[in-house]
Amino acid sequence: GNNEQAPAVESKELVVMDFGGATTEARKKAYYDPFEKKYGVKVMTVTPADYGKVKAMVETGNVTIDVVDVYSDFLVRGAKEGYFEKLDFNVIHKEGIFKEYLHDYGVGAFDYSLVIGYNTKSFSGDNTPKNWADFWDTKKFPGPRALQKSPMGTLEAALLADGVKPEELYPLDVDRAFASLDKIKKDVKVWWTVFAQPAQLLANGEVTMASSYNGRISSAKTEGAPEDVEYNQGIKDSGFWVIPKGAPHKDLAMKFIDFVSSPEPQAAFSSLIDYGPTNEKAIELLSDDVKKRLGSDKVDQQIMLNSAWWVDNFDKVNERFEQWLLTK
């Protein structure tokens, strides 16, 4: 007979484009496996995240990806340019999600901060940096520094160092930020470009302080490196879950975003990897140790990066930043 030719019953699958590596491994345990069980579906992951590919798919109408985790600037830009499906908040429960992480086209995936990392052989006890003004103060806290080779986050740090109040940060006073950067420029030994760099520079004592994403420092600290992190005035940002326009399993994708935005799965994820929850209710489910490590106990002392401002201003500011780096 021809039964082996009979079409297989269409199994529901959801295709998620993810960053890969440790993030995807943690998500498999906290999100993908439990979601498969709950909905009787298969979750396929495509890594690494490639936004060019997402745009090309939408433009050609040949979309094979259902959900993507994108950086906040691509969320804002992509939403404006029509690359994403509008989210259905009848399916996705907003309850508990930080308002900054709710968007018509995206929901915060995880939370990370650009923070002050420091070498604990250089600074310890009461003598540790508490804010960006301390980072800029090379008399009180001597030694070379490392800052990210990007104006995004770096300009915010420069303004906070110069005494701008967090609530008055945006719109950024670009001239004042560069004047503040002028004061520390000679002490910046490394302008880092790779996320792993600051932790390495601090570990080997090449710099005494570095701006860094929090997870890298806390991992290095856990592994015994002489470094620690100050979360006060950390500059927070998030990845966002979006659904590409024309996604084949749009309805299932909405259920997925609802599932991964709920407290229990988020707490499971944050316990596996050093990224904070975007749902406030998940914080209550974390152990004190994890809360401290993620800075979740200092959420209110941190500042949300304003991606919309950067989308409108990045090119112009970045050009000036590149020029500034070249001048002595």
Side-chain angles (χ1 to χ4, degrees):
N2 285 338
N3 349 9
E4 64 264 30
Q5 304 303 320
V9 176
E10 169 111 69
S11 67
K12 263 304 201 51
E13 68 173 37
L14 185 81
V15 183
V16 180
M17 184 182 263
D18 201 355
F19 298 114
T23 305
T24 299
E25 284 166 37
R27 282 179 169 165
K28 186 169 165 33
K29 290 187 189 122
Y31 296 158
Y32 306 151
D33 294 349
F35 183 77
E36 286 185 341
K37 282 195 189 72
K38 183 173 177 178
Y39 287 97
V41 296
K42 186 90 197 98
V43 175
M44 311 284 291
T45 52
V46 175
T47 61
D50 178 345
Y51 305 153
K53 205 184 258 181
V54 174
K55 289 172 84 159
M57 278 184 179
V58 175
E59 281 161 13
T60 57
N62 181 24
V63 182
T64 56
I65 307 271
D66 297 304
V67 187
V68 192
D69 182 355
V70 301
Y71 289 121
S72 56
D73 56 337
F74 187 57
L75 165 75
V76 178
R77 209 172 260 137
K80 271 185 190 167
E81 292 168 11
Y83 285 107
F84 311 136
E85 294 283 356
K86 203 165 190 174
L87 297 182
D88 182 351
F89 287 104
N90 295 315
V91 177
I92 300 163
H93 295 80
K94 291 181 175 183
E95 209 192 342
I97 301 169
F98 290 113
K99 66 176 190 320
E100 291 88 348
Y101 296 154
L102 283 168
H103 191 281
D104 285 346
Y105 295 89
V107 174
F110 60 63
D111 189 270
Y112 50 91
S113 304
L114 187 72
V115 290
I116 296 164
Y118 59 92
N119 179 297
T120 51
K121 286 181 180 164
S122 306
F123 313 119
S124 59
D126 295 335
N127 184 43
T128 61
K130 301 287 187 285
N131 50 38
W132 292 106
D134 286 349
F135 190 103
W136 255 243
D137 188 344
T138 51
K139 283 194 178 65
K140 192 175 165 194
F141 298 99
R145 306 295 202 248
L147 282 171
Q148 188 175 10
K149 195 177 181 179
S150 165
M152 207 159 149
T154 304
L155 262 62
E156 280 87 341
L159 288 166
L160 292 163
D162 200 45
V164 175
K165 290 193 180 76
E167 61 276 15
E168 289 166 12
L169 206 45
Y170 298 100
L172 299 184
D173 182 336
V174 178
D175 291 339
R176 184 171 172 182
F178 278 101
S180 175
L181 282 168
D182 282 338
K183 295 174 188 163
I184 201 164
K185 190 176 194 179
K186 66 179 190 321
D187 298 292
V188 180
K189 186 178 179 184
V190 181
W191 290 96
W192 60 266
T193 52
V194 181
F195 292 168
Q197 258 176 302
Q200 289 160 1
L201 294 164
L202 288 168
N204 63 27
E206 207 175 315
V207 301
T208 60
M209 254 186 246
S211 68
S212 173
Y213 287 102
N214 60 297
R216 303 297 176 139
I217 306 278
S218 53
S219 302
K221 182 188 171 184
T222 304
E223 285 157 24
E227 54 193 88
D228 211 339
V229 67
E230 174 52 66
Y231 278 104
N232 183 41
Q233 294 191 340
I235 297 148
K236 286 166 81 68
D237 199 4
S238 173
F240 282 82
W241 294 112
V242 301
I243 301 173
K245 193 131 188 94
H249 307 109
K250 183 175 111 174
D251 295 345
L252 192 60
M254 298 285 178
K255 288 180 180 144
F256 174 83
I257 294 177
D258 177 56
F259 182 83
V260 300
S261 303
S262 56
E264 287 79 7
Q266 284 218 349
F269 175 73
S270 289
S271 301
L272 291 166
I273 193 167
D274 286 346
Y275 290 120
T278 52
N279 188 322
E280 207 163 2
K281 291 186 182 324
I283 295 174
E284 298 156 23
L285 305 175
L286 299 173
S287 71
D288 288 347
D289 178 48
V290 172
K291 270 186 230 176
K292 217 175 141 77
R293 201 173 74 221
L294 296 172
S296 299
D297 56 345
K298 289 195 173 176
V299 168
D300 52 350
Q301 293 172 29
Q302 299 185 65
I303 295 125
M304 296 280 181
L305 183 96
N306 184 330
S307 328
W309 188 89
W310 278 108
V311 167
D312 292 341
N313 296 279
F314 182 82
D315 293 339
K316 175 168 91 248
V317 174
N318 192 48
E319 196 174 316
R320 180 168 172 183
F321 183 71
E322 295 288 345
Q323 285 302 311
W324 177 85
L325 287 171
L326 296 174
T327 56
K328 279 285 161 273

